[in-house]
Amino acid sequence: MAGFIIRRVISSFLVVVLTSMFVFALFFLGPSNPAGPVCEASGKCTAERLALIEEQMGLNESVVTQYGAFAKGIFVDRTITIGSEYECDAPCLGISYGTRGQVTDELLEKYPATLSIAIGGAMIYLTLGVLLGVLAARWRGTAADRLLVGGSLLVSSVPYYLFALLAWIFLTLQWSIFPATGYTPLTENPGAWFAGLLLPWVVIGVTFSTQYARFTRGSMVETLGEDYIRTATAKGVKSNKVVFKHGLRAAIVPIVTIFGLDFAALLAGTVFTERIFNINGVGWWALNSIQSPQDFPVITATVLVSAVLVVVANLLVDVIYSFLDPRVRMS
Amino acid sequence: MTTQSEAVPTTVSAAPTEQPLLEVTNLRKYFPVKSSGLVRRTIAQVQAVDGVSFQVPAGTSLGLVGESGCGKSTTGRLITRLLDPTSGSMKFEGHEIGNLSPKQMLPYRKEIQMIFQDPYSSLNPRHTVGTIVGTPLRVHKVVPEKQVLNRVRELLEVVGLNPEHYNRYPSEFSGGQRQRIGIARALALQPKLLVADEPVSALDVSIQAQVVNLLTDLQKEFGVAFLFIAHDLAVVRHFCPEVAVMYLGKIVEIADRETLYNRPHHPYTQALLSAVPDVKQAAVGGRRERIRLEGDVPSPVNPPSGCRFRTRCWMAKDICAKQEPPLLQIGPKHKVACHFAGEYGAMPTSPITLNVLGVDQEGTPVAGATPSAEDLNEPGFADTWTDVETLKGNSAPMATSLPSDSRPASEVGSEDRGTRS
Amino acid sequence: MTDFLTDQQHAGQPTPAPGGEDFLVVENLSVQFPTHDGLVKAVNDLSYSVKMGETLGIVGESGSGKSVSSMAVLGLHDIKRSRLTGSIRVDGKEIIGASEQTLRKIRGNEVAMIFQDPLTALHPFYSVGAQIGEAYRIHHDVSKSKARAKAIEMLDRVGIPQAKSRVDDYPHQFSGGMRQRAMIAMALVNDPKLIIADEPTTALDVTVQAQILDLLQELQRDFRSAIIIITHDLGVVAEMADEVLVMYAGRAVEQGPTRELLTHPEMPYTWGLLSSMPDVTASTDARLVPIPGNPPSLLNPPTGCPFHPRCPHVDKVPGDLCRTELPEFLPGQRGTHHLKRCHLVNPDDIYATEVLPEIAPDLVELTLADNADVAHGDGMHGER
């Protein structure tokens, strides 16, 4: 087991390194010149000034050297020259061209908001989705089941941003059922934190739960047809217990896999959610960074963070998987 | 010569001069077991097939029986080259096929075809029967494209299906009919050897008989040879004039069917035969007395030393742990790998393998002796053999090979399927 | 052979046998499944009974209704997706239409089931001990540690070596034979009065099969329970069962004491089963005589006798009887204890002169003599 985890950590690390290299290469070999926006930002941009800035930013060096400097910054402090000199403490992901602040600091500042949205939303959609799915599987073929499956298809077919926008317009603006949305750090005011995130959670919870209800239903229907379910019934186990203890225990395993990846995607930024509900999180930040003038260090950082999240989620899924399924654990 | 008189009419005599269709010598297949550490080293080998040798003469059938995990299916997959052998030789009509690349193997694939166990999963549900049966014809370009359909119709008719059903899908057929489709596909290239891996075990009893009869007819009509792999001893006995019993990757006994089923000399064969429930028992009532084997088959990763069956054998003595018994020929068409080979209830008290192995009673090598156990693992049968009867109960070293005019073992001992419970 | 006749005094349906109360009585059971393609008539008008300490073997091929009927005994069919009529009484209690609560008290307690493939029938994510313990705790109000001790005791009882250290193993860590032993331990943990074993050895190797059959018989001696063993293997039935019920297309087609039925079968389907099975002692020159054709569709079963499209003896019955009229399940020439569903008037002669020479020529003389005995001693008393 330990060997397995170590092997997976190493391969995960390699994936992250390769992703960062790829992103780095893409931007440097691409058509846009990172020095351009910096040069324009400080008044008239002459060819000499541009060349100087390029020189200072180290853009004349080979991509390999630049990547080396970037990678080194993750472990030791470095000084970065963008027009003037900036200190960048380790772990350094660079200095934002836009704000001239350390990317790492900004990341840490924006992350709690995204994390809050993701965790709250995921808790709702996982519980709701799995519960609905189990019930639908249990009463499969009945009107309740058809209603659930049909309803879930309907919700899934509406684009998420439209759903979120309508929810915000009607539930908050028009009818004021939900409090105004926004982000207040949990440590500052838990009440405000909760109130501001309630609608985003519900919207994420409801929209995602429909998919999970369908996944769970499919997995449960398959599991309930297994021989060991019949065995449990033949032993005299109560039908609720057959469904939840024997059925769900086995049916949940594939759900965990999907959930791990979905959750990683949520964590990497919930662009629509953040824009519509006015929450300044990682998604919004990333969206801004790719708009002109492009903020190259921020883009690199957000892509890297996404890569790390996906890789870590995969790793966790595998570990959880091995705890859920003893057959994997033993081999 | 006694060899001839012993042979059943249906058996093609495997005289040394005649080349067998397939000759397998010391075939091995080890699957590596990887460690779970940081570096995944190979820490052990699953010895799925560990040095089997046999011959399949043209136009006849060799049965391969044994319980799950004994390596019989792996052997079948090695011969069709679905798996690559770890070592050993496989000669098809005298040509070595064990080390051929997939491209070099291509002409032989036409000659060696396979019938699979599960008629539900071995046919692509999205292809029509015509496509399934016609594909080998197209791949190997044995008939012009225009004639593929006619040939498919012919093949369907041969296996007892309606030839006009070529445009139907496998799901429209019953299990027995699907197995016929699988047989038609295997026959399409007119192979010389069919490897049938449990061809009837997924079918209902009444359908099993239909398929077994079909295979018998096909063999008569086309002269195709079979390597018939099955766990059902009765089906194998019915179909194969020669049968090999496998246990934990090795052949423990191989003989013509009369000898193997009536006078088995290996304790495992005896136990296996006595375990089969018998309808005729109804006339007597109750359970048949049988040899009870305790426990389970040991792991092929770490098989017992010496004789692999010794951990479950009631005959086991010290020598069985020390020395692996060679597959010794003890009759005209009878080889057995047991130090104490004999009919049930009349097994020798002293090992019969001492001279061959050059060891003493306890299995310790005798100084100066040159053990030749490895050489004994030759496929096929020789004209001379070790006479068990003269060795029985005699601890003094004796000549191992007697002239072929020596008394065949069949003359001694009547059928004595003794009891032990 | 005549000893069977003197044993059987009752003339009533469905299974008269000496002494003892019927523990399980199935009467006119029909099980149907509505599907998109129509109504699947899985079991039709089936009646049988089993006494304590007795073993009934139910024989048939896939689709014969043998498993469906035995699952009905535990009420395992989803009532929303099946239609059950008739009566199943376990120790006097009616199963059909019984409440979930009544059924739960019977399941695993009075009646336990052993399934074909222990690898799929045991939950892969719970340890063997936990699954046995659960079965015990459902019907006994004991602590988890007591249930675990009971699980160890049962594993030990069914011959699992070092039960104490294996109790926390998962099913996949057991070998096939050990898994089936664990399944049996789970079935026996509540000391059931009836064990239904559905193809208990089909997935196992032959030497392991022998071990499991030995175990079942030994346990039956100790527990005095009734056993229903469902199988397609006549060899297993011959060695295990006291009474045999042959099913075809959802109907009982022949029933009688094992020895009587297997030595003097009276129904062409049973003959077909016997002749299509190779056997380790039969002559190798004899060709297997398969039953022609395929098992019938349960959606549109054949008219008349369901076996008539595959029966080679249809021409021996006058007129179109086989095609038009379903034969009743009645005693044949050999007495009231041997029932058959067939229009043939003289099945024993046909068997001895036409079927037996094909499958066991050495037994022809014996059987013919036996038939003569019956004709003299018992007259046509069985013929009504």
Side-chain angles (χ1 to χ4, degrees):
Chain A
M1 190 66 212
F4 163 78
I5 293 176
I6 293 169
R7 259 199 320 279
R8 284 303 314 267
V9 168
I10 291 173
S11 65
S12 307
F13 180 74
L14 286 176
V15 169
V16 172
V17 170
L18 283 174
T19 313
S20 68
M21 284 178 172
F22 181 73
V23 174
F24 222 86
L26 204 67
F27 280 94
F28 274 86
L29 303 177
S32 72
N33 182 355
V38 178
C39 177
E40 278 157 19
S42 51
K44 194 171 180 295
C45 183
T46 61
E48 292 81 46
R49 252 185 75 80
L50 186 66
L52 183 70
I53 289 171
E54 277 178 6
E55 166 86 45
Q56 282 174 341
M57 288 172 74
L59 295 174
N60 295 338
E61 307 281 346
S62 69
V63 181
V64 178
T65 317
Q66 290 185 51
Y67 181 76
F70 170 77
K72 194 180 161 199
I74 294 175
F75 304 101
V76 293
D77 298 349
R78 60 188 274 228
T79 309
I80 294 171
T81 314
I82 304 170
S84 49
E85 288 193 351
Y86 297 93
E87 287 299 316
C88 183
D89 305 329
C92 166
L93 292 173
I95 297 293
S96 164
Y97 296 168
T99 63
R100 299 293 158 98
Q102 293 192 21
V103 171
T104 317
D105 291 345
E106 291 189 19
L107 185 71
L108 291 176
E109 185 196 317
K110 315 228 179 245
Y111 220 83
T114 304
L115 200 64
S116 301
I117 298 176
I119 291 178
M123 271 167 61
I124 294 179
Y125 76 65
L126 194 63
T127 343
L128 191 67
V130 169
L131 193 72
L132 287 175
V134 169
L135 295 180
R138 197 173 167 188
W139 287 305
R140 65 186 174 283
T142 63
D145 174 32
R146 278 194 291 273
L147 187 77
L148 193 107
V149 173
S152 112
L153 276 173
L154 192 73
V155 173
S156 312
S157 62
V158 179
Y160 171 73
Y161 62 87
L162 186 65
F163 191 82
L165 200 62
L166 291 174
W168 182 70
I169 290 171
F170 286 99
L171 298 180
T172 303
L173 280 189
Q174 196 90 0
W175 303 326
S176 300
I177 297 171
F178 281 88
T181 60
Y183 180 71
T184 321
L186 176 66
T187 44
E188 241 168 61
N189 183 347
W193 172 79
F194 185 83
L197 291 173
L198 191 56
L199 187 60
W201 285 342
V202 169
V203 169
I204 291 178
V206 169
T207 45
F208 275 74
S209 71
T210 57
Q211 292 185 42
Y212 277 79
R214 268 179 296 137
F215 289 147
T216 311
R217 183 185 178 279
S219 182
M220 272 303 277
V221 166
E222 196 179 308
T223 307
L224 290 179
E226 293 281 353
D227 285 358
Y228 52 79
I229 297 297
R230 187 181 58 182
T231 309
T233 311
K235 283 202 287 193
V237 179
K238 288 185 183 161
S239 55
N240 268 335
K241 215 171 166 188
V242 170
V243 170
F244 284 97
K245 187 180 167 191
H246 292 259
L248 187 57
R249 174 70 176 74
I252 199 77
V253 175
I255 309 295
V256 167
T257 314
I258 304 167
F259 175 72
L261 299 179
D262 267 0
F263 188 61
L266 259 188
L267 282 178
T270 45
V271 179
F272 287 127
T273 316
E274 289 173 17
R275 281 305 296 266
I276 292 167
F277 297 113
N278 190 31
I279 294 163
N280 193 1
V282 178
W284 201 343
W285 186 46
L287 193 65
N288 283 337
S289 72
I290 56 170
Q291 285 160 355
S292 196
Q294 283 151 351
D295 200 342
F296 177 61
V298 175
I299 296 172
T300 323
T302 48
V303 171
L304 254 184
V305 166
S306 309
V308 170
L309 284 172
V310 169
V311 159
V312 168
N314 261 317
L315 185 63
L316 281 180
V317 163
D318 281 350
V319 172
I320 293 172
Y321 212 105
S322 71
F323 277 101
L324 285 176
D325 189 342
R327 288 171 299 186
V328 179
R329 198 185 314 159
M330 307 296 168
S331 56
Chain B
M1 206 169 87
T2 44
T3 332
Q4 295 303 324
S5 63
E6 267 291 298
V8 247
T10 48
T11 316
V12 173
S13 165
T17 45
E18 197 179 309
Q19 191 182 52
L21 181 68
L22 176 75
E23 183 169 85
V24 170
T25 315
N26 264 319
L27 188 65
R28 283 195 168 79
K29 179 64 187 177
Y30 290 0
F31 296 99
V33 179
K34 302 279 188 186
S35 71
S36 60
L38 189 51
V39 184
R40 288 171 64 84
R41 286 164 298 132
T42 299
I43 46 168
Q45 306 272 2
V46 177
Q47 304 175 13
V49 176
D50 195 17
V52 301
S53 303
F54 57 82
Q55 289 180 342
V56 184
T60 174
S61 303
L62 173 69
L64 216 50
V65 297
E67 299 183 283
S68 42
C70 72
K72 57 187 192 302
S73 286
T74 308
T75 306
R77 274 156 205 273
L78 288 170
I79 287 159
T80 44
R81 287 297 305 276
L82 294 173
L83 289 172
D84 290 330
T86 307
S87 70
S89 140
M90 300 190 290
K91 285 204 171 86
F92 185 79
E93 294 185 315
H95 304 286
E96 178 62 46
I97 58 166
N99 51 10
L100 296 185
S101 67
K103 205 174 168 188
Q104 291 170 314
M105 187 63 201
L106 207 59
Y108 294 100
R109 291 217 189 273
K110 259 199 316 204
E111 311 281 3
I112 309 172
Q113 288 284 310
M114 190 151 183
I115 303 171
F116 296 93
Q117 170 175 3
D118 188 352
Y120 291 88
S121 61
S122 59
L123 302 177
N124 187 333
R126 284 178 193 81
H127 286 173
T128 61
V129 169
T131 314
I132 291 169
V133 178
T135 299
L137 297 171
R138 293 195 177 93
V139 169
H140 289 270
K141 300 190 178 68
V142 283
V143 290
E145 181 63 36
K146 276 184 198 159
Q147 281 166 38
V148 168
L149 187 59
N150 281 334
R151 181 84 184 107
V152 166
R153 283 205 187 105
E154 270 172 46
L155 285 161
L156 291 180
E157 196 156 357
V158 163
V159 298
L161 292 171
N162 184 338
E164 297 316 313
H165 286 176
Y166 63 87
N167 53 1
R168 298 198 174 181
Y169 289 89
S171 57
E172 299 173 61
F173 294 89
S174 70
Q177 289 171 324
R178 286 182 209 211
Q179 196 55 295
R180 287 171 192 265
I181 298 169
I183 294 169
R185 172 174 63 185
L187 280 178
L189 298 169
Q190 295 175 299
K192 293 194 175 107
L193 176 67
L194 271 175
V195 176
D197 189 359
E198 301 273 9
V200 298
S201 53
L203 307 174
D204 268 326
V205 188
S206 68
I207 308 298
Q208 272 190 11
Q210 295 177 0
V211 173
V212 169
N213 282 349
L214 170 66
L215 293 178
T216 313
D217 293 344
L218 293 174
Q219 180 163 47
K220 273 195 198 122
E221 199 175 331
F222 301 106
V224 55
F226 278 87
L227 181 66
F228 194 96
I229 301 165
H231 71 275
D232 186 330
L233 291 155
V235 170
V236 170
R237 176 173 177 276
H238 188 86
F239 193 76
C240 307
E242 207 171 289
V243 180
V245 179
M246 284 185 78
Y247 184 81
L248 216 52
K250 286 189 184 291
I251 291 179
V252 296
E253 187 160 11
I254 180 167
D256 62 274
R257 73 178 144 210
E258 278 69 22
T259 310
L260 193 99
Y261 284 82
N262 297 334
R263 295 180 290 109
H265 274 54
H266 196 285
Y268 178 63
T269 316
Q270 293 161 358
L272 209 54
L273 283 168
S274 89
V276 182
D278 188 357
V279 192
K280 295 203 170 67
Q281 188 64 24
V284 187
R287 298 292 302 283
R288 195 154 61 112
E289 290 288 348
R290 58 170 41 87
I291 304 166
R292 283 189 174 191
L293 286 185
E294 299 296 330
D296 288 311
V297 182
S299 157
V301 177
N302 192 11
S305 65
C307 171
R308 294 188 169 189
F309 184 60
R310 71 175 165 86
T311 51
R312 304 170 77 197
C313 182
W314 62 94
M315 295 286 299
K317 298 207 170 65
D318 288 350
I319 187 176
C320 300
K322 285 186 190 153
Q323 293 292 335
E324 182 182 330
L327 193 59
L328 198 63
Q329 185 166 349
I330 59 163
K333 277 187 166 287
H334 191 185
K335 282 176 162 188
V336 60
C338 176
H339 293 299
F340 299 95
E343 290 193 43
Y344 187 69
M347 290 170 126
T349 48
S350 172
I352 60 165
T353 50
L354 300 184
N355 284 20
V356 188
L357 294 171
V359 295
D360 67 13
Q361 291 270 348
E362 276 72 48
T364 320
V366 174
T370 45
S372 54
E374 193 70 0
D375 303 338
L376 281 164
N377 204 0
E378 289 286 328
F381 296 100
D383 288 341
T384 58
W385 59 84
T386 308
D387 190 338
V388 189
E389 288 309 310
T390 44
L391 280 174
K392 194 166 141 185
N394 191 345
S395 56
M398 293 203 49
T400 52
S401 287
L402 298 173
S404 59
D405 58 358
S406 68
R407 194 172 61 139
S410 62
E411 286 175 22
V412 281
S414 58
E415 186 183 344
D416 179 13
R417 190 99 56 70
T419 59
R420 187 191 149 98
S421 30
Chain C
M1 284 299 136
T2 43
D3 53 342
F4 281 102
L5 306 175
T6 50
D7 280 353
Q8 313 291 328
Q9 300 301 334
H10 311 252
Q13 293 257 25
T15 318
E21 280 288 295
D22 288 338
F23 180 74
L24 171 71
V25 180
V26 175
E27 268 176 349
N28 310 109
L29 175 70
S30 292
V31 183
Q32 301 179 330
F33 304 107
T35 66
H36 290 297
D37 302 323
L39 199 60
V40 173
K41 302 173 196 77
V43 177
N44 298 302
D45 197 21
L46 178 70
S47 301
Y48 65 85
S49 66
V50 190
K51 290 183 203 321
M52 293 298 293
E54 190 188 65
T55 303
L56 170 71
I58 302 183
V59 184
E61 297 180 274
S62 41
S64 64
K66 58 190 196 301
S67 293
V68 172
S69 59
S70 59
M71 276 171 69
V73 173
L74 277 180
L76 289 180
H77 294 295
D78 187 341
I79 44 167
K80 291 196 286 287
R81 265 180 283 279
S82 54
R83 286 184 209 157
L84 279 84
T85 55
S87 160
I88 300 172
R89 289 189 302 279
V90 172
D91 205 10
K93 291 181 285 283
E94 179 60 52
I95 296 293
I96 292 181
S99 71
E100 187 69 19
Q101 208 183 349
T102 316
L103 289 175
R104 265 208 318 271
K105 277 191 196 135
I106 292 170
R107 288 175 185 157
N109 193 20
E110 281 178 81
V111 183
M113 212 157 169
I114 299 165
F115 296 101
Q116 172 174 354
D117 185 353
L119 184 61
T120 57
L122 289 169
H123 201 296
F125 298 171
Y126 292 110
S127 73
V128 169
Q131 296 186 53
I132 299 173
E134 184 188 29
Y136 190 58
R137 290 187 71 206
I138 292 165
H139 303 288
H140 293 85
D141 188 18
V142 295
S143 67
K144 274 198 171 162
S145 62
K146 277 233 175 70
R148 187 170 181 276
K150 181 76 183 174
I152 295 172
E153 181 198 323
M154 289 310 296
L155 286 175
D156 193 52
R157 181 71 193 77
V158 297
I160 302 245
Q162 287 122 39
K164 217 171 198 152
S165 62
R166 301 306 300 265
V167 67
D168 294 323
D169 278 4
Y170 290 92
H172 72 273
Q173 291 167 292
F174 275 27
S175 69
M178 274 170 37
R179 275 195 287 266
Q180 196 56 293
R181 283 172 194 269
M183 189 84 213
I184 292 172
M186 190 161 85
L188 288 173
V189 73
N190 293 311
D191 215 345
K193 297 199 179 79
L194 170 66
I195 299 165
I196 301 173
D198 189 354
E199 303 262 11
T201 57
T202 308
L204 304 176
D205 278 322
V206 56
T207 59
V208 183
Q209 163 170 295
Q211 291 176 352
I212 296 292
L213 295 181
D214 283 341
L215 175 69
L216 275 176
Q217 259 178 352
E218 189 190 313
L219 293 169
Q220 185 180 28
R221 270 199 299 276
D222 295 358
F223 290 81
R224 290 304 300 159
S225 47
I227 293 183
I228 296 178
I229 188 161
I230 299 162
T231 178
H232 66 276
D233 188 338
L234 287 172
V236 170
V237 163
E239 299 203 4
M240 294 290 291
D242 304 311
E243 176 95 6
V244 182
L245 174 68
V246 182
M247 288 188 71
Y248 187 77
R251 288 183 192 279
V253 294
E254 187 160 12
Q255 182 179 7
T258 307
R259 184 162 156 198
E260 157 68 23
L261 188 137
L262 290 179
T263 51
H264 296 87
E266 294 191 303
M267 160 79 196
Y269 176 63
T270 316
W271 301 344
L273 280 182
L274 283 165
S275 60
S276 57
M277 260 177 67
D279 139 29
V280 283
T281 53
S283 154
T284 47
D285 302 331
R287 208 175 144 76
L288 298 178
V289 188
I291 304 174
N294 290 299
S297 149
L298 297 173
L299 280 167
N300 291 307
T303 56
C305 169
F307 188 59
H308 88 255
R310 302 175 75 189
C311 182
H313 304 283
V314 174
D315 53 349
K316 299 190 182 71
V317 175
D320 234 8
L321 216 52
C322 291
R323 264 173 289 271
T324 54
E325 201 166 313
L326 176 70
E328 282 188 75
F329 197 44
L330 290 173
Q333 288 171 299
R334 301 192 50 83
T336 53
H337 58 300
H338 188 162
L339 303 157
K340 54 137 188 158
R341 192 186 287 283
C342 182
H343 288 303
L344 285 174
V345 185
N346 53 345
D348 293 301
D349 298 341
I350 298 175
Y351 178 68
T353 54
E354 290 186 31
V355 184
L356 210 51
E358 296 250 30
I359 53 175
D362 45 320
L363 292 179
V364 175
E365 290 303 312
L366 207 82
T367 312
L368 278 173
D370 219 37
N371 286 351
D373 268 5
V374 176
H376 285 294
D378 222 21
M380 300 309 279
H381 151 261
E383 190 73 26
R384 286 183 285 187

